């Protein structure tokens, strides 16, 4: 029997609303003494809702209903639903005597007409369409009962699948929150180092500009005020305060999306792209600065590594 779903109180108290796309559930049913079946559903990650159903022949109406239910209940994932039916054979007796007689008479007439030897094979005749009327009626009745039973079992089975996906999602959310904690710590350290790095950058830039400009041909000194204005402009272009602020905003937004739950995978992927862009900009602005600048470079690379780890994890979020 499928695992019972988590109650709303338990879900609210102890698990994240984030759902993974990985799950499995199975139920086995003995229907009416003539038919046993197993219904299995499993899911893995996929960009969209991708349904694959494997059912015995002759159950087209059931397949259409199952597709409708799955689309109503699930948002994303590669879903495989398999129905395996075991029909228990019973000796029913009862056959269409007129149809069997017609086959026998046709065989004998053809043998006489073409002067052939041989006798009709009863095993072959009994397998001809429509001969075993009782068995045919029984199969039709069984298919009706099978369809009704499967449609009754599929919703609890999907609930069991969702329970497993929620548990997987809760584990993924814990990993992602730990990643965000490390990202926040790296951003905090960069923020603490920023004033010293910018001062060092300004000093180095002023020294290089003065060395490059020197004095004019009349021996007049460099216009220091003009020089400082140019330095200030270049320093402003290399300011990483905006990148730090945006990174902090993205991290908080990421946490909010995780807490809100629902279809989070695509939203989080977009946020990670934005975080990666900020980390790249931060690295380009602080490249080549000695001292604490190398520490910021190391922190920026650590940010990119954490972002990549998070990107791998969210591929499995619904």
């Amino acid at each position: 029997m499928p695992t019972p779903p988590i109650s709303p109180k338990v879900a609210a108290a102890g698990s994240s609303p984030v759902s993974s796309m990985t799950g499995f559930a199975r139920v086995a049913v003995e229907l009416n003494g003539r038919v046993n079946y197993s219904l299995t559903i499993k899911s893995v990650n996929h960009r969209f809702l991708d349904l694959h159903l494997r059912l015995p022949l002759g159950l087209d109406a059931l397949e259409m209903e199952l597709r409708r239910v799955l689309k109503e209940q699930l948002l994303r994932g590669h879903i495989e639903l398999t129905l395996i039916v075991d029909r228990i054979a019973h000796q029913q007796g009862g056959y269409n005597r007129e149809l069997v007689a017609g086959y026998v008479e046709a065989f004998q007439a053809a043998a006489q007409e073409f002067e052939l030897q041989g006798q009709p094979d009863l095993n072959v005749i009994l397998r001809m369409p429509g001969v075993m009327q009782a068995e045919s009626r029984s199969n039709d009745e069984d298919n009706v009962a099978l369809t009704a039973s499967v449609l009754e079992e599929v919703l609890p089975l999907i609930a069991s699948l969702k329970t497993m996906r929620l548990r997987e999602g809760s584990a993924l959310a814990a990993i992602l929150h730990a990643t965000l904690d490390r990202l926040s710590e790296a951003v905090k350290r960069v923020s603490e180092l920023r004033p010293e790095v910018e001062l060092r950058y300004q000093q180095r830039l002023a020294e290089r500009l003065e060395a490059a400009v020197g004095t004019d041909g009349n021996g007049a000194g460099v216009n220091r005020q003009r020089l400082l204005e140019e330095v200030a402009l270049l320093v402003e272009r290399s300011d990483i305060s905006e990148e730090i602020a945006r990174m902090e905003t993205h991290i908080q937004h990421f946490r909010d999306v995780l807490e809100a739950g629902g279809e989070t995978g695509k939203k989080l992927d977009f946020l990670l792209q934005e975080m990666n862009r900020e980390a790249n900009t931060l690295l380009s602005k602080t490249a080549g600065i000695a001292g604490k600048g190398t520490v910021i470079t190391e922190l920026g690379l650590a940010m990119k590594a954490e972002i990549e780890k998070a990107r791998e994890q969210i591929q499995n979020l619904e």
Side-chain angles (χ1 to χ4, degrees), residues 196-218:
E196 182 178 345
V197 170
E198 289 182 353
L199 178 60
R200 171 60 182 160
Y201 180 78
Q202 183 176 354
Q203 292 172 344
R204 188 190 70 170
L205 188 59
E207 291 170 359
R208 290 188 177 182
L209 284 173
E210 288 182 355
V213 174
T215 59
D216 60 21
N218 298 322

Side-chain angles (χ1 to χ4, degrees), residues 23-48:
F24 175 85
R26 180 179 182 274
V27 63
V29 176
E30 182 177 342
L31 188 56
N32 55 12
R34 296 190 302 271
V35 176
N36 298 334
Y37 72 86
S38 65
L39 188 63
T40 304
I41 183 170
K42 62 180 179 179
S43 67
V44 294
N45 63 307
H46 195 275
R47 293 180 61 192
F48 309 104

Side-chain angles (χ1 to χ4, degrees), residues 93-101 103 122-137:
Y95 60 90
N96 188 326
R97 190 178 186 285
E98 293 182 359
L99 189 59
V100 172
Y103 284 134
L122 185 59
N123 289 326
V124 174
I125 293 175
L126 292 178
R127 288 198 294 267
M128 301 293 283
V131 170
M132 300 300 293
Q133 289 181 321
E135 181 180 353
S136 177
R137 287 195 300 270

Side-chain angles (χ1 to χ4, degrees), residues 70-239:
L70 290 170
K71 288 178 181 179
E72 290 177 353
Q73 295 293 320
L74 301 171
L75 297 174
R76 292 177 65 198
H78 173 87
I79 311 296
E80 293 185 6
L81 184 145
T82 303
L83 174 64
I84 298 177
V85 179
D86 180 20
R87 299 183 186 272
I88 302 172
H90 287 271
Q91 296 296 327
Q92 296 283 344
Y95 60 90
N96 188 326
R97 190 178 186 285
E98 293 182 359
L99 189 59
V100 172
Y103 284 134
V104 172
E105 291 173 3
F107 182 95
Q108 292 174 342
Q112 182 177 357
E113 180 179 353
F114 296 101
E115 298 181 352
L116 299 174
Q117 298 295 323
Q119 297 295 326
D121 189 333
L122 185 59
N123 289 326
V124 174
I125 293 175
L126 292 178
R127 288 198 294 267
M128 301 293 283
V131 170
M132 300 300 293
Q133 289 181 321
E135 181 180 353
S136 177
R137 287 195 300 270
S138 176
N139 284 340
D140 291 341
E141 293 171 359
D142 287 345
N143 283 343
V144 171
L146 176 65
T147 296
S149 178
V150 169
L151 291 177
E152 182 179 349
E153 293 289 343
V154 70
L155 283 175
L157 191 70
I158 294 174
S160 180
L161 176 74
K162 287 182 175 181
T163 297
M164 184 174 182
R165 284 165 56 132
L166 279 172
R167 289 171 179 158
E168 292 289 326
S170 180
L172 287 176
I175 293 172
L176 289 170
H177 277 299
T179 298
L180 293 175
D181 290 341
R182 292 189 292 271
L183 271 174
S184 294
E185 182 61 28
V187 173
K188 180 181 177 181
R189 291 183 62 192
V190 170
S191 181
E192 293 170 350
L193 294 170
R194 182 179 66 85
E196 182 178 345
V197 170
E198 289 182 353
L199 178 60
R200 171 60 182 160
Y201 180 78
Q202 183 176 354
Q203 292 172 344
R204 188 190 70 170
L205 188 59
E207 291 170 359
R208 290 188 177 182
L209 284 173
E210 288 182 355
V213 174
T215 59
D216 60 21
N218 298 322
V222 175
N223 185 328
R224 188 167 184 79
Q225 182 61 34
R226 176 61 178 168
L227 179 61
L228 290 175
E229 290 175 358
E230 293 294 332
V231 169
L233 179 61
L234 292 172
V235 169
E236 183 180 356
R237 291 176 179 173
S238 65
D239 183 17

